Amino acid sequence: MVNRRQDVWLRRFPQAGGTPTGPGTDADCELVCFPHAGGSAAYWRPLAVALAPAVDVAAVQYPGRLDRLSEAPVEDLHVLADQIAEALGPPGDRPRALLGHSMGASLAYEVAVRLARLPGGEPRLLVVSGRRAPSAARGRNRNLTWPVDDAELVSRIRGLGGTDAMILDDPELLELILPALRGDYRALASYEDTPGRPLSCPVVALAGDRDPAATVEEVRPWGEQTSGDFRTRVFEGGHFFLNDHPEDIVDLLRGLLPPHTGRPPHAAPHRPTAAG
């Protein structure tokens, strides 16, 4: 049965040659990917193509961008996580993993927490990238970090290096993405994580060694959120280090992602060597 709620939230990208991906294909597992603040599902297209056909990559499309441009952004990460978790529901007959970068890491974590409350719903693996661990961010006054106007917001986005400068320099294109940026940053400014150690699945945290938004020391405590296996992998680069190491990221995920059969639900993944 087709899940129409997933049709609203998830985007899949054809393999090279136009071969479709998604439910009903021969993929070994499903990887649900969550974009950064201001980002769209399209950010994960190269990864989806590289991992196909073994992995069915489903990228989350938040309201307020691209084909959901007419919808208002959701300015509360917990509300957004509720909606995405409801759309995903329990996994089907294939294991599921979640991957999120920056804001997407916090959202992937919150969705994993919600799925873990369903019988058999907890993902087999959570990969968080470029985001402070909850304990490293907890207690801060996030409203102090909220840009006071659009110019400051654009300056911050430009400094992180994840958005094409051509878009930021084009007033018409910038006007299209500003509502999503404002909404995402307001959501981050008010976000407080679900506390405790609510997960039992393996968690892998990725960090850039020169990331000003999430230092290696701030990323490492992600292990506090799970009773399962935890590993950190550090790459050279700033906040968008993923863009600089596409082949390494693909190889890492191939080693981490659970196969369709032959592994119990919460077995430890392949353990990458921690750097830094």
Side-chain angles (χ1 to χ4, degrees), residues 17-99:
T19 305
T21 60
T25 61
D26 294 330
D28 291 329
C29 68
E30 178 187 48
L31 177 64
V32 182
C33 296
F34 297 75
H36 52 281
S40 71
Y43 177 76
W44 300 109
R45 179 189 293 270
L47 181 68
V49 173
L51 288 174
V55 180
D56 171 25
V57 175
V60 178
Q61 188 77 295
Y62 308 141
R65 56 219 80 196
L66 294 185
D67 56 332
R68 303 188 70 181
L69 192 63
S70 63
E71 301 176 51
V74 177
E75 298 184 0
D76 185 314
L77 287 191
H78 286 281
V79 171
L80 191 55
D82 289 342
Q83 295 174 352
I84 296 170
E86 182 181 6
L88 286 174
D93 59 354
R94 297 178 300 180
R96 172 188 286 160
L98 306 185
L99 163 64

Side-chain angles (χ1 to χ4, degrees), residues 157-201:
I157 298 300
R158 194 186 298 275
L160 292 176
T163 303
D164 193 328
M166 182 181 70
I167 296 176
L168 299 178
D169 293 335
D170 186 313
E172 293 184 0
L173 292 176
L174 183 60
E175 191 61 29
L176 288 176
I177 68 170
L178 270 175
L181 283 171
R182 293 189 200 108
D184 289 350
Y185 270 81
R186 288 188 181 115
L188 286 170
S190 61
Y191 169 66
E192 293 289 344
D193 64 283
T194 296
R197 189 171 294 213
L199 301 177
S200 60
C201 65

Side-chain angles (χ1 to χ4, degrees), residues 218-270:
E218 292 172 325
V219 169
R220 282 197 169 114
W222 268 107
E224 298 171 2
Q225 309 310 120
T226 184
S227 59
D229 187 77
F230 174 73
R231 290 293 180 270
T232 304
R233 177 70 184 268
V234 181
F235 294 86
E236 293 184 1
H239 190 58
F240 283 91
F241 61 88
L242 294 181
N243 299 348
D244 300 327
H245 304 278
E247 293 181 358
D248 292 335
I249 298 298
V250 168
D251 288 343
L252 175 66
L253 290 172
R254 282 177 177 153
L256 289 170
L257 292 171
H260 190 105
T261 59
R263 180 176 294 182
H266 290 150
H270 166 75

